[in-house]
Amino acid sequence: MKPVFRFAPSPNGRLHLGHAYSALLNADFALRLQGRFLLRIEDIDTTRCRPEFETAIYDDLAWLGLHWEVPVRRQSEHFADYHAAFLRLKGRGVVYPCFCTRKDIAEAIACRETESGQEWPRDPDGAPLYPGICRTMPNEEASHRIVAGEPYAWRLDMVALKKLAPGPYRFRRFDREGREEAVNADPWRWGDAVIVRKETPTSYHLSVVVDDALQGVTHVVRGQDLEAATDLHVLLQALLDLPTPRYHHHGLVLDPAGDKLAKSRQSRSLTELRAEGATPQAIWRRLGFGPQPTPST
Ligand code: GLU
């Protein structure tokens, strides 16, 4: 069976050099391992994703010399798949509805920090762990609030999960030299993560594990900023009986000041670099992929 790689950008801004690196690296792995290269559009956030950004993704990647299989999977067309996965989690009793606003959470944490005199623990992204306010809410109260139309998210119940599915969890990591090793995953450090968002009928974590499995992705190549999220993905794969791909988390492309490139910091986009006269060859070289393009078939 051929290895399957994917590049999975979100069309909520223009691609920058960091995305180009991730896309080229995926295509390069696919070429060297005679695998397939897929493109997936991660557009579950319908308020921030825009059609013009999606079009720019196709244009920029084609300009870079990449070829991907069609049709491209667009997550916004597959909410039913994520809902089915969510129902399986619900059926296992490992999720609960959460009605908290950001303010409710911030106040509860401030209160606990004052009481204990200690800083409240944070998840790997630096956000405070959810303090469990809705975890013990009686079903009757939750149903009543849902019927009343109150907005709510669904969270993983890590307390229940630690008993029901304590692990240990592991995945395989691979590198560019063809080495592989088993790595321990620690999903618990994410606390009661949101698995279905208030405003979106899924979440990044749920959609990504469902799609990687549905698309037969065997090798996930993505930035180090998503490395810790893999621990949660491995837990979800186990709960949903999905295979765990192998993972490679690459270093991030930094700007001259040593900061991570990000759409929010106005880093120059590929579109802008093109308009300024950059060539695809110059981009490959700059990212360490020269001198020839590395399209996969
Ligand atoms: N859509 C995510 C992003 O643009 C990447 C998801 C992934 O590769 O797992 O950051």
Side-chain angles (χ1 to χ4, degrees), residues 6 8-10 42 204 208 222 226:
R6 86 317 190 260
S10 297
E42 301 213 324
Y204 158 63
V208 87
R222 60 186 177 195
L226 291 170

Side-chain angles (χ1 to χ4, degrees), residues 143-161:
S143 311
H144 183 74
R145 290 172 74 165
I146 290 171
V147 172
E150 216 178 301
Y152 63 101
W154 288 91
R155 290 182 180 274
L156 281 179
D157 183 343
M158 291 301 209
V159 174
L161 275 166

Side-chain angles (χ1 to χ4, degrees), residues 15-17 20 63 261 267-279 283 286:
L15 298 187
H16 54 61
L17 281 175
W63 174 77
L261 293 182
S267 307
R268 292 250 286 300
S269 65
L270 290 180
T271 313
E272 283 166 322
L273 292 170
R274 280 164 68 180
E276 288 163 15
T279 61
I283 305 279
R286 187 163 162 190

Side-chain angles (χ1 to χ4, degrees), residues 67-246:
H67 301 272
W68 54 89
E69 292 183 12
V70 286
V72 167
R73 184 170 173 92
R74 300 174 69 245
Q75 290 191 324
S76 58
E77 293 169 356
H78 299 282
F79 285 119
D81 290 332
Y82 314 133
H83 186 64
F86 159 70
L87 289 179
R88 291 194 66 185
L89 295 175
K90 189 163 175 259
R92 299 195 61 171
V94 296
V95 291
Y96 63 88
C98 172
F99 302 87
C100 291
T101 60
R102 278 169 206 265
K103 190 163 166 272
D104 295 333
I105 297 173
E107 280 172 4
I109 289 169
C111 195
R112 292 184 196 199
E113 283 185 336
T114 314
E115 271 168 23
S116 67
Q118 280 179 357
E119 211 195 328
W120 187 253
R122 290 172 180 262
D123 73 18
D125 284 345
L129 295 187
Y130 177 67
I133 303 164
C134 293
R135 193 192 297 128
T136 51
M137 184 182 291
N139 287 343
E140 207 175 299
E141 183 186 340
S143 311
H144 183 74
R145 290 172 74 165
I146 290 171
V147 172
E150 216 178 301
Y152 63 101
W154 288 91
R155 290 182 180 274
L156 281 179
D157 183 343
M158 291 301 209
V159 174
L161 275 166
K162 258 189 188 168
K163 290 193 201 119
L164 198 77
Y169 295 98
R170 285 163 93 74
F171 64 92
R172 293 193 76 74
R173 174 158 76 195
F174 65 99
D175 69 14
R176 290 182 81 179
E177 280 68 50
R179 287 182 295 245
E180 266 194 30
E181 61 179 344
V183 190
N184 291 324
D186 174 12
W188 317 119
R189 59 187 171 141
W190 286 97
D192 289 1
V194 170
I195 220 62
V196 171
R197 288 167 20 190
K198 266 187 190 166
E199 69 289 359
T200 310
T202 181
S203 61
Y204 158 63
H205 302 299
L206 186 60
S207 316
V208 87
V209 299
V210 168
D211 283 352
D212 283 341
L214 276 174
Q215 296 190 285
V217 172
T218 56
H219 293 68
V220 171
V221 174
R222 60 186 177 195
Q224 262 164 6
D225 51 344
L226 291 170
E227 189 162 14
T230 304
D231 294 8
L232 203 48
H233 299 175
V234 172
L235 170 67
L236 288 172
Q237 285 150 0
L239 294 173
L240 293 166
D241 296 318
L242 302 175
T244 294
R246 289 162 160 70

Side-chain angles (χ1 to χ4, degrees), residues 273-296:
L273 292 170
R274 280 164 68 180
E276 288 163 15
T279 61
Q281 288 79 1
I283 305 279
W284 304 320
R285 272 198 303 274
R286 187 163 162 190
L287 296 172
F289 291 99
Q292 294 298 316
T294 55
S296 74

